[in-house]
Amino acid sequence: MWLGQRWALLHLLLVISDSVAEDSECRQTGYVENPQLFKDGDMMLGGLFSFHSNWIEIEENFMEKPKQLQCISLNFREFQLAQAMRFAIEEINNSSDLLPGISLGYNVYDTCGSNARSIKAALALINGNENDPATLKACTKPAQVQAIMGEASSSPSMAISTVIGPFHIPLISHYATCACLSDKSKYPSFLRTIPSDHYQSRALAHLVKHFGWTWVGAIRSNNDYGNNGMAIFTETALEVGICLEYSLPFFRTDSSEKIQKIIDIIKASTSKVIVAFLANMDLDVIIHKLSANNLTGYQWVGTEAWNFDSQTAKGDANHILDGAIGLYIPKAHVSGLAEFMLDVKPLNSSNDGLECTGHEDLTGVENIFTDMSHMPIFNNVYKGVYAVAHALHNILECKETCNNSILQQIRKVAFKTKEGDEVYFNENGDPVAKYEIINWQPRTNGHVDFVTVGVYDASLPAEKQMNLQNKSLIWAQRSLQVPVSVCSEQCPPGTRKVLQKGKPVCCHDCILCAEGEISNITDSISCVGCPPEFWSNDRRDACETKEAEFLSYEEMMGSLLTAASLFGTCLTAAVAFIFFRYRKTPLVRANNSELSFLLLFSLTLCFLCSLTFIRRPSEWSCMLRHTAFGITFVLCISCVLGKTMVVLMAFKATLPGENIMKWFGPTQQRLSVLGLTFIQVIICILWLVISPPFPSTNLKEYKDKIILECSLGSAVGFWSVLGYIGLLAVLCFIFAFLARKLPDNFNEAKFITFSMLIFCAVWITFIPAYVSSPGKFSVAVEIFAILASSFGLLICIFVPKCYIMLLKPERNTKKNMMGKGTPKSP
C-alpha cells in the first residue's frame, strides 16, 4: 500500500507540474490507460477489477521513462465480478421502470492488483483518455463517469478514495471491508455493499469466545485489510477474555526466510486455534508452506475473504483447513446471472486476452469461471450498480429543487432488489452487517462442504446477535469434539485465578479458596467470605451452616457426666436410706440427724442441677442452671457449716460455766441454714431481674463451628454467687479447722475439714480452667467442679458413718459416742 501511495503522489505531482508548465493546459502524462471492457451509453459507469492478480517486476534505473506495467496471472474471479456489473447494466437498460429512455454504458479497467495502476485507472475514468491538442483545456470538463464500481481490496480502495474524494465521485466497493473506510472525513465518497470489518472482527472474537478458546494465535495479511481487521479483533478479544499468543503479519510476496520464521513460531506455540485474517491468495501461500512442514491439527478460524473459497479448499491437498469455521456473506441468488455469465458473447475489449467469439461452449467445464459459489459477492456488485441507477433515477424524476449530487443521492437510496434484498447505506456508507457462520466439513471423496451452522446479525441486541444452529460440527482432523485451546485450564468453583507473572491474563494458576471463603463460579478472580453463621464446605464452592456445638447427652463426654450425676444422686439416696434406717442409732442421733438429712437432700439437688448444663441452651435453662447451682450449693454448705458449728459448740458447752448451746439449738440451726440460703436467693433474684443469663452464639472461638452457650448476662451476678459460696466454704473450713482437736469420737470436724479442703481446691482450680476452656469444655469443667465437690462432701462426711453403721456396728453405741469405749491401741 505504501508503495502504491508513493506512485499515486508522484503521478499527481507530475500532473500538477505539467499543468503549470503548459500555462494551465491539461495534458496526460505517461502511458494511455485503455478500458478492458467498454460500452457507450447516455450515462457512464466505471469499473475497476483485477483481471490479473500480479505483474512482472521491472527494475527501474530512473534514467528513462518507466515502462508500462506488464500484468500476469489471469484472475477469472474478477472477470466474474465484471460480468455481474455488465449483467446489472444490461438489466437496467432493458427495464421500463428504472431510467426509462436512458442507457447506461461502462468502462471497465484492469488494475492488475496494483495500487498505482488502480489510481491511474480511476483518474482515467474521471478525466477520459483524450490527449487531443484541441481538448488541452479539458481540466474543467465534467467527470466522464457517474460512479466507479470496485475495488475488491481495501488498500487500493483507500488509495482511490483519497484521490477521487475531492471530486465527489462515488466509489462503491463490493468486497473492501476495512473498517477504516467508514471514516468519512478521510474517504467521503466511499460506499460499499459488504459489511465493515468492524463487525466481522467483533463477530470473530465472540465466535472464538463461544467455543471457549481463550489462547489463540493469529496471522493477518500485511495490508490495510489484515492489519485493521486484526487490530479490531485484538481489541475485542481482550474485552471478552481472549489472549493472543502471537499475531503475525504476512504477505504472499514475503521472503522465504520470513515465511520460515512464521512457521517456526507456529511450531513452538501451545495454542491450537489460529485466527486467519488473510486474503485468499495469502492463505494459499501459507497453506502450501504449512503442508511442507507437516503442520496439521490446528483449528482455523477464518474471514469472508477465504472461508467460502472453493479454490482454496481444492488447493488444500493435505486437508490442513478441514474443520475450519468462520464467517461469510449470507447466501444470495440473482436470477439470470449464472446463465448470463455462461452465455458468452463477443465483448468490446481492448485486450485480446478477454475477447470471445461467442461460439465458446462452457457446458461441462469446471473452473473458476463456471464456479458460482461466490454469488453473494456477485450480488454485491449487482446491488451497487442498482444503487447508482436508483440515485440517477431519483435525480431525473425530481420535479422540485433537488440535490443533484449523485453521491448524496446514493447515500439516501433505499430499495429492494427483484429478489427482495433490501439495499440502503448508513451514515458511514455501510450496509447492515449480517454473516453466516460456515464450517468446512470434508466429505469422503476429498471435497469439502461449506455448511452453514449459524448466523450473526449485528443489527440485533448483543445477546441475540450470534445464533448457532443445532448442527453437528466437524473440527480439525475430522474430530467431533470441540478443540481445547487455553493457556491454563479453567479454575473450577472453589478456587480463584492468580495470574502468572510475566504472562498474559489468560495464563493463570488456580488457588484453593481459604477456609471460610468460597467461589461458586468457574474462573472466579476472587473468593467471597461466608456469612458469620456459615462456613465453607470441603470443596469451597458453597457455604454451609456451621455445626452448632454444645454439651449434649448423645456425645461421650455428656453421657459420662450424666452417668456421674445420676450415680451421685443414687449414692446420696442410698446414704439417706442407710441414715433413715439407722436414724435411731447413737451415731445418727449424735451427728444432728436433721442437718444430715437436709445436707443429703441438698447434695441430691447438687448432683441433679448439673443435668441442667447438659442440653441445648435455652432461655430458661440458662437462668436455671446457675441459680439452681448457686442456691443448692449454699444450702449444702450452710448445712455443713451448721454441723461444724454444732460440733464446735457442743465441745465448748462441756466447759464449766458455758451455756452456749442454748443459743445454737435446733431452731437456731434451722434459721441459720434458712437465712444463709435466703441471702443467696436474694442475690440470684437480683441477678435475674437486672441482667439474667441468656442463650448466645459464640462465633469467635472456632472458625467452623458455632458455640451455643449461656452468656452470664451480669458477670457481677455470677461472681457474686460464686463468691458467696466461697465465703461460706472458707468459714466452714475455718470452724472445722478449729474443731480438729476434739476427741476422736467427735472427729466429724476432721472429715468436714478435709471435705472443705477438697471443695475449696476444686473451685479454686475451676476458675482458671473455666476461663481458658473453649466452648462446651467450659461447661464440662463447671459440671466436673459441681460433681467433684459434691462427691467430696458426700464421701468425706457420710461414707465413714455408713462404714460404722454397716460394717462396725459395735462402735455405733452411746457409750462409744461418749468416749467410754475401749481405748484405741497405740
Side-chain angles (χ1 to χ4, degrees):
M1 183 197 73
W2 181 74
L3 180 60
Q5 288 178 336
R6 290 184 62 190
W7 275 105
L9 180 60
L10 178 60
H11 185 86
L12 286 176
L13 291 175
L14 289 173
V15 171
I16 293 171
S17 62
D18 278 359
S19 298
V20 173
E22 296 292 335
D23 297 327
S24 301
E25 291 182 348
C26 288
R27 185 181 297 275
Q28 182 174 334
T29 61
Y31 297 101
V32 174
E33 294 292 342
N34 294 312
Q36 305 299 308
L37 301 173
F38 55 88
K39 180 180 180 179
D40 289 332
D42 299 325
M43 294 183 177
M44 300 296 292
L45 299 184
L48 298 176
F49 300 97
S50 297
F51 295 141
H52 297 85
S53 59
N54 215 331
W55 62 90
I56 298 175
E57 293 286 348
I58 300 174
E59 295 260 347
E60 300 290 351
N61 55 18
F62 301 99
M63 301 297 293
E64 57 185 12
K65 184 178 180 179
K67 296 181 176 62
Q68 191 171 14
L69 202 64
Q70 296 184 33
C71 301
I72 58 174
S73 302
L74 194 63
N75 187 346
F76 282 111
R77 185 76 71 206
E78 292 286 313
F79 185 68
Q80 285 180 308
L81 297 173
Q83 286 286 78
M85 176 181 171
R86 292 183 58 247
F87 172 77
I89 291 174
E90 294 292 341
E91 196 173 72
I92 293 168
N93 287 340
N94 293 326
S95 170
S96 58
D97 297 324
L98 191 61
L99 294 177
I102 297 176
S103 64
L104 293 180
Y106 53 82
N107 286 328
V108 177
Y109 283 80
D110 178 13
T111 63
C112 294
S114 165
N115 289 1
R117 182 153 177 160
S118 296
I119 295 170
K120 194 172 182 180
L123 290 173
L125 286 170
I126 294 174
N127 296 319
N129 280 324
E130 297 89 346
N131 204 11
D132 192 326
T135 60
L136 291 181
K137 296 188 180 292
C139 289
T140 58
K141 68 181 180 181
Q144 300 297 298
V145 294
Q146 302 298 323
I148 300 175
M149 314 306 298
E151 267 251 13
S153 299
S154 296
S155 294
S157 295
M158 293 168 65
I160 296 168
S161 295
T162 303
V163 172
I164 70 173
F167 303 106
H168 303 291
I169 302 297
L171 174 67
I172 305 177
S173 175
H174 51 276
Y175 212 42
T177 58
C178 179
C180 55
L181 287 164
S182 297
D183 186 352
K184 296 300 105 177
S185 63
K186 293 183 178 179
Y187 313 106
S189 65
F190 178 82
L191 303 100
R192 53 185 158 197
T193 52
I194 189 170
S196 163
D197 279 339
H198 171 79
Y199 303 102
Q200 177 174 220
S201 298
R202 297 181 65 84
L204 284 177
H206 288 288
L207 182 66
V208 170
K209 182 64 175 180
H210 175 83
F211 293 110
W213 301 324
T214 58
W215 185 239
V216 302
I219 307 177
R220 66 187 187 274
S221 291
N222 193 13
N223 54 21
D224 295 292
Y225 166 74
N227 292 331
N228 283 277
M230 186 55 67
I232 298 172
F233 172 84
T234 303
E235 179 184 349
T236 309
L238 291 176
E239 292 175 1
V240 299
I242 301 171
C243 298
L244 270 64
E245 184 178 12
Y246 57 83
S247 181
L248 306 173
F250 170 76
F251 199 72
R252 55 189 175 272
T253 57
D254 284 346
S255 64
S256 300
E257 292 77 12
K258 187 173 182 179
I259 296 175
Q260 187 58 46
K261 186 178 291 185
I262 293 174
I263 299 298
D264 293 340
I265 291 174
I266 296 175
K267 277 184 178 180
S269 66
T270 58
S271 56
K272 297 300 179 183
V273 173
I274 300 176
V275 179
F277 224 104
L278 293 166
N280 61 328
M281 291 181 287
D282 292 337
L283 180 66
D284 292 342
V285 176
I286 281 288
I287 292 302
H288 176 73
K289 295 296 182 181
L290 290 174
S291 298
N293 287 268
N294 197 28
L295 281 180
T296 60
Y298 291 92
Q299 177 62 45
W300 290 80
V301 180
T303 64
E304 93 299 331
W306 62 268
N307 199 48
F308 205 84
D309 195 294
S310 57
Q311 297 305 310
T312 299
K314 289 179 182 178
D316 183 19
N318 289 346
H319 302 282
I320 289 176
L321 297 177
D322 282 1
I325 193 168
L327 305 178
Y328 193 64
I329 308 163
K331 291 183 177 65
H333 175 70
V334 180
S335 57
L337 177 57
E339 293 78 8
F340 179 85
M341 288 188 178
L342 298 178
D343 184 17
V344 181
K345 295 179 180 179
L347 299 175
N348 289 327
S349 173
S350 62
N351 187 334
D352 294 340
L354 295 179
E355 290 182 4
C356 302
T357 64
H359 300 290
E360 288 81 4
D361 184 10
L362 299 181
T363 305
V365 176
E366 291 187 10
N367 59 18
I368 299 176
F369 185 76
T370 60
D371 178 14
M372 297 297 152
S373 62
H374 282 269
M375 185 62 74
I377 308 216
F378 306 157
N379 187 42
N380 285 349
V381 177
Y382 179 84
K383 290 189 290 187
V385 174
Y386 263 86
V388 176
H390 276 276
L392 292 172
H393 186 86
N394 291 339
I395 292 174
L396 295 175
E397 290 291 316
C398 183
K399 304 298 183 183
E400 301 175 359
T401 304
C402 301
N403 187 341
N404 291 329
S405 168
I406 182 66
L407 177 60
Q408 297 303 321
Q409 289 296 331
I410 292 177
R411 286 177 177 173
K412 294 189 294 184
V413 296
F415 62 93
K416 286 186 177 181
T417 66
K418 63 182 180 181
E419 311 296 343
D421 295 336
E422 292 188 2
V423 180
Y424 60 91
F425 302 96
N426 63 16
E427 65 276 9
N428 296 322
D430 300 328
V432 65
K434 292 183 180 179
Y435 300 96
E436 290 184 354
I437 301 174
I438 304 298
N439 180 221
W440 286 37
Q441 299 191 359
R443 293 183 295 184
T444 54
N445 60 4
H447 294 287
V448 173
D449 286 336
F450 302 114
V451 180
T452 300
V453 295
V455 294
Y456 182 90
D457 189 345
S459 64
L460 298 177
E463 66 276 5
K464 297 181 180 179
Q465 289 178 351
M466 184 174 293
N467 180 21
L468 282 168
Q469 301 166 1
N470 293 324
K471 290 187 177 180
S472 58
L473 293 124
I474 296 178
W475 304 102
Q477 296 183 319
R478 302 194 178 194
S479 172
L480 298 178
Q481 297 295 323
V482 180
V484 176
S485 185
V486 294
C487 181
S488 301
E489 292 293 334
Q490 285 186 325
C491 289
T495 62
R496 62 184 176 89
K497 293 199 300 186
V498 177
L499 299 182
Q500 296 177 1
K501 188 176 181 180
K503 291 188 177 181
V505 294
C506 298
C507 302
H508 57 263
D509 296 318
C510 298
I511 305 298
L512 186 68
C513 290
E515 290 184 342
E517 296 182 344
I518 66 161
S519 66
N520 54 9
I521 60 173
T522 302
D523 278 341
S524 175
I525 60 174
S526 63
C527 298
V528 180
C530 292
E533 296 81 9
F534 294 84
W535 192 250
S536 57
N537 59 8
D538 293 337
R539 297 187 303 274
R540 308 286 201 277
D541 59 0
C543 289
E544 297 177 344
T545 304
K546 288 182 179 179
E547 177 188 353
E549 182 181 82
F550 58 92
L551 191 60
S552 66
Y553 297 109
E554 288 78 13
E555 59 181 297
M556 180 62 70
M557 185 165 57
S559 299
L560 291 175
L561 292 174
T562 301
S565 173
L566 296 176
F567 175 73
T569 302
C570 293
L571 185 60
T572 305
V575 171
F577 176 78
I578 294 171
F579 263 63
F580 181 77
R581 184 177 180 183
Y582 293 95
R583 65 187 179 279
K584 294 183 179 180
T585 61
L587 182 60
V588 176
R589 293 170 63 88
N591 283 278
N592 196 330
S593 60
E594 186 175 345
L595 285 180
S596 295
F597 282 110
L598 187 58
L599 177 58
L600 287 169
F601 173 71
S602 64
L603 282 174
T604 302
L605 295 179
C606 289
F607 282 118
L608 292 175
C609 81
S610 64
L611 298 178
T612 62
F613 290 81
I614 308 175
R615 60 166 296 163
R616 189 184 187 95
S618 63
E619 188 173 352
W620 70 267
S621 68
C622 287
M623 292 189 291
L624 178 63
R625 64 173 58 172
H626 289 107
T627 53
F629 151 70
I631 293 171
T632 55
F633 255 80
V634 165
L635 178 61
C636 179
I637 301 301
S638 297
C639 293
V640 175
L641 182 60
K643 290 175 68 66
T644 305
M645 293 299 296
V646 168
V647 173
L648 186 60
M649 294 302 107
F651 177 74
K652 293 289 186 180
T654 60
L655 298 177
E658 294 289 344
N659 193 21
I660 197 170
M661 282 302 294
K662 68 178 182 179
W663 302 106
F664 210 80
T667 302
Q668 288 79 10
Q669 293 172 23
R670 295 188 195 102
L671 290 175
S672 65
V673 171
L674 183 61
L676 292 173
T677 304
F678 184 72
I679 293 173
Q680 184 73 308
V681 171
I682 296 299
I683 294 173
C684 289
I685 291 174
L686 291 174
W687 183 15
L688 294 178
V689 170
I690 297 173
S691 182
F694 58 90
S696 65
T697 55
N698 185 343
L699 304 174
K700 297 180 180 179
E701 198 70 43
Y702 296 108
K703 294 182 294 184
D704 57 344
K705 295 179 182 178
I706 299 177
I707 299 175
L708 302 182
E709 60 186 9
C710 287
S711 292
L712 298 177
S714 171
V716 174
F718 175 73
W719 292 111
S720 296
V721 169
L722 283 186
Y724 184 62
I725 296 173
L727 175 63
L728 295 181
V730 170
L731 290 174
C732 190
F733 174 76
I734 292 172
F735 290 135
F737 182 77
L738 293 175
R740 72 189 187 283
K741 293 184 180 180
L742 291 174
D744 286 349
N745 297 343
F746 291 88
N747 209 14
E748 188 178 24
K750 292 182 179 180
F751 294 114
I752 293 174
T753 303
F754 188 66
S755 67
M756 286 298 102
L757 190 62
I758 294 175
F759 185 91
C760 293
V762 167
W763 286 100
I764 290 173
T765 307
F766 159 77
I767 294 173
Y770 178 82
V771 172
S772 61
S773 297
K776 63 183 180 182
F777 297 103
S778 64
V779 178
V781 167
E782 190 169 357
I783 295 173
F784 178 80
I786 293 171
L787 295 177
S789 55
S790 299
F791 275 112
L793 290 171
L794 180 64
I795 293 172
C796 292
I797 296 175
F798 291 100
V799 169
K801 295 178 179 61
C802 292
Y803 172 77
I804 292 173
M805 285 185 282
L806 297 175
L807 300 178
K808 299 290 184 180
E810 69 276 7
R811 295 176 59 182
N812 190 6
T813 62
K814 185 175 181 181
K815 188 176 183 180
N816 188 62
M817 294 299 104
M818 298 301 293
K820 297 178 180 179
T822 306
K824 295 173 68 176
S825 60

